[in-house]
Amino acid sequence: MTTKSQETHRKTIPTPSKILLWAMAAGRCEKCGKILYKHPLTGTDGNYAQIAHNHPVGKRGPRFEHKIDSSLNIDDVSNLLLLCAECHKEIDDNPTLYTVEHLKNIKQTHETCVYKATDFEHIKTTTVIKYAANLHGRSLSIDNISDALFPEKFARNIIELGLKNSSWNTSDEAYWSYESQNLEKNFKNKVLPLFDNSNNERKDFSIFALAPIPLLIKFGTLLSNKQRIDVYQLQKSPTQTWRWQNSNTRVKYTTNYKNCPTSIKQVVLILSLSGKPLIDTIQSTVSFENSLVVEITTDTTPYEDFLKTRQQLDDFIKEYLKTKEEIRSICKQVVPIHLFAAIPNAIAVEIGRHRDTTADLPLITYNLTNNKYHHALTIGDTNE
Ligand SMILES: [Zn+2]
Ligand SMILES: [Zn+2]
């Protein structure tokens, strides 16, 4: 006995029509959007699709209409729908609801959507610069990057500026000069050639960086401000993501002058944003005598995961630039700034990026290892 379904689908659909349909549907059910080339639970690759004829093959098929145009090629892609098993059953069981006209609309909506969403020729492209190593469970995969960029941008090119050392010896001065030179060399070879603006197009770069703060600041100083640059931030809660949030919550940054001597030999700049550097620990590294001590902090208790939006990042930069200007005018002469920073990665990169090489005071960075601050990198000349 021939069942209705066997009769309806007995004829093999020509391969060219199938390929076209798969491409136009992007491998998803045209009704519910479910992916059809992977098992929904196990993720195993395979063909989980069913192909339905809108106008049916036989007279006993669903949606059969007597007035059907005889010139219609029943196997033409325009008459086919790529479906999951559930949706296929649902439409065939309910032909009064899922009419030929209705299914045409469903098909067209899906295929137009696929066409627009995959218009890679016209979606804004960006070059991703990834500076990361020792992820310690923090995730920075191509999936993370694409997710953070979507739907604004599409990564055309991913450049990796890896760190050399896999074992951190961050208390060792040699580590910092070694990594710093390695960064400069990689940057010169891999990124600088792309900074060529000779044809006047402003290229777009997206920054994903996970490294110790001093290296991130250094990295920032290398990034030109002639390019369009977006810096991204890993957020750990509620789930790990590099995607900036769309929230109107603002963070208020304030600058406190803690010690303002008449004769200033140096500046101690404390950034208490993602944590609070301990004053005692700082003082065991740098004396506060004749030091202008300045702290930038937030209106809430500092915590690691506070930076959620681009606006919050921009607001910090404004406060930082203002404070930098004030420090410069208080100091009157060139003195070094000792920087003790508990800050998110994106802020570290931006501090470097907003460094004015001609006007800014030299910056001496420290890194906290085993509850002690160790000198890391000095940015700018301290022997003026
Ligand atoms: Zn479906
Ligand atoms: Zn069917």
Side-chain angles (χ1 to χ4, degrees):
M1 196 190 127
T2 310
T3 68
K4 182 178 161 186
S5 121
Q6 274 168 339
E7 191 187 321
T8 312
H9 300 289
R10 74 205 145 176
K11 215 175 124 226
T12 320
I13 298 162
T15 304
S17 290
K18 284 190 197 165
I19 292 175
L20 263 179
L21 181 64
W22 268 91
M24 290 162 90
R28 289 178 181 272
C29 173
E30 298 200 85
K31 185 172 167 291
C32 71
K34 195 188 289 172
I35 215 130
L36 297 172
Y37 49 82
K38 272 183 195 304
H39 188 277
L41 297 177
T42 62
T44 313
D45 290 344
N47 179 356
Y48 297 92
Q50 296 192 358
I51 295 178
H53 287 91
N54 195 356
H55 286 289
V57 177
K59 283 185 183 177
R60 291 174 60 195
R63 298 176 297 280
F64 177 74
E65 293 165 10
H66 286 282
K67 56 182 193 298
I68 184 171
D69 179 358
S70 58
S71 70
L72 175 88
N73 174 4
I74 214 92
D75 287 334
D76 189 84
V77 69
S78 61
N79 190 48
L80 302 175
L81 287 118
L82 196 73
L83 297 170
C84 70
E86 290 79 11
C87 289
H88 191 178
K89 179 168 164 47
E90 193 187 348
I91 65 158
D92 280 2
D93 287 354
N94 299 284
T96 41
L97 177 58
Y98 295 103
T99 59
V100 167
E101 215 42 50
H102 188 176
L103 289 179
K104 247 186 211 164
N105 287 339
I106 287 177
K107 174 181 168 71
Q108 200 191 340
T109 309
H110 179 82
E111 289 172 11
T112 305
C113 186
V114 165
Y115 181 84
K116 286 190 186 289
T118 57
D119 185 10
F120 300 128
E121 250 181 287
H122 299 104
I123 294 174
K124 191 168 151 196
T125 60
T126 186
T127 298
V128 169
I129 306 176
K130 188 176 155 185
Y131 180 48
N134 285 71
L135 297 170
H136 295 295
R138 296 171 297 180
S139 181
L140 182 48
S141 64
I142 291 182
D143 276 355
N144 296 142
I145 291 171
S146 305
D147 176 63
L149 298 174
F150 187 83
E152 279 171 60
K153 297 184 220 171
F154 166 68
R156 258 288 172 236
N157 186 8
I158 298 184
I159 293 167
E160 303 221 17
L161 305 173
L163 279 81
K164 278 274 187 201
N165 259 20
S166 54
S167 62
W168 296 118
N169 296 308
T170 46
S171 58
D172 188 352
E173 196 113 358
Y175 165 87
W176 298 101
S177 60
Y178 185 62
E179 285 297 351
S180 172
Q181 282 166 25
N182 178 52
L183 170 63
E184 274 184 53
K185 194 185 82 199
N186 280 337
F187 195 89
K188 190 165 161 256
N189 293 338
K190 296 179 178 179
V191 182
L192 271 190
L194 303 174
F195 277 8
D196 168 32
N197 281 56
S198 50
N199 49 1
N200 265 338
E201 58 163 332
R202 217 156 156 260
K203 288 182 192 144
D204 190 278
F205 292 87
S206 303
I207 310 300
F208 292 81
L210 277 179
I213 300 294
L215 288 167
L216 291 175
I217 295 175
K218 170 83 187 183
F219 175 46
T221 64
L222 301 174
L223 291 165
S224 155
N225 50 16
K226 290 195 197 84
Q227 318 295 330
R228 243 207 65 71
I229 289 174
D230 274 329
V231 182
Y232 289 81
Q233 171 68 38
L234 173 66
Q235 286 154 48
K236 291 172 184 165
S237 66
T239 49
Q240 276 205 29
T241 178
W242 285 82
R243 183 189 274 268
W244 286 115
Q245 291 182 10
N246 293 316
S247 141
N248 295 322
T249 310
R250 301 289 279 263
V251 171
K252 193 170 159 15
Y253 301 95
T254 46
T255 301
N256 306 313
Y257 289 83
K258 291 179 170 287
N259 189 26
C260 205
T262 43
S263 155
I264 299 169
K265 292 236 173 68
Q266 60 184 7
V267 179
V268 175
L269 177 59
I270 305 164
L271 304 180
S272 310
L273 303 180
S274 54
K276 201 157 172 58
L278 294 172
I279 297 293
D280 288 349
T281 317
I282 295 172
Q283 272 185 306
S284 67
T285 309
V286 174
S287 162
F288 280 13
E289 204 182 320
N290 294 322
S291 294
L292 173 67
V293 181
V294 186
E295 182 187 37
I296 303 179
T297 186
T298 62
D299 55 346
T300 54
T301 312
Y303 81 104
E304 207 190 354
D305 214 21
F306 83 93
L307 192 67
K308 299 286 183 196
T309 71
R310 281 204 172 97
Q311 179 69 56
Q312 293 168 355
L313 180 62
D314 290 346
D315 285 346
F316 170 79
I317 297 164
K318 276 191 208 116
E319 183 68 22
Y320 176 74
L321 291 177
K322 190 196 81 187
T323 303
K324 203 167 66 141
E325 205 57 42
E326 281 167 3
I327 291 173
R328 191 74 176 94
S329 67
I330 294 169
C331 289
K332 295 184 187 78
Q333 52 176 347
V334 175
V335 294
I337 298 179
H338 297 267
L339 179 71
F340 298 88
I343 51 178
N345 288 356
I347 284 184
V349 175
E350 291 290 11
I351 285 175
R353 226 158 69 78
H354 286 83
R355 185 172 165 76
D356 179 340
T357 44
T358 50
D360 278 3
L361 297 172
L363 199 61
I364 302 174
T365 65
Y366 293 84
N367 192 69
L368 190 65
T369 313
N370 301 326
N371 299 317
K372 197 176 177 308
Y373 280 105
H374 296 269
H375 172 238
L377 295 170
T378 297
I379 294 161
D381 198 351
T382 48
N383 308 318
E384 279 173 77

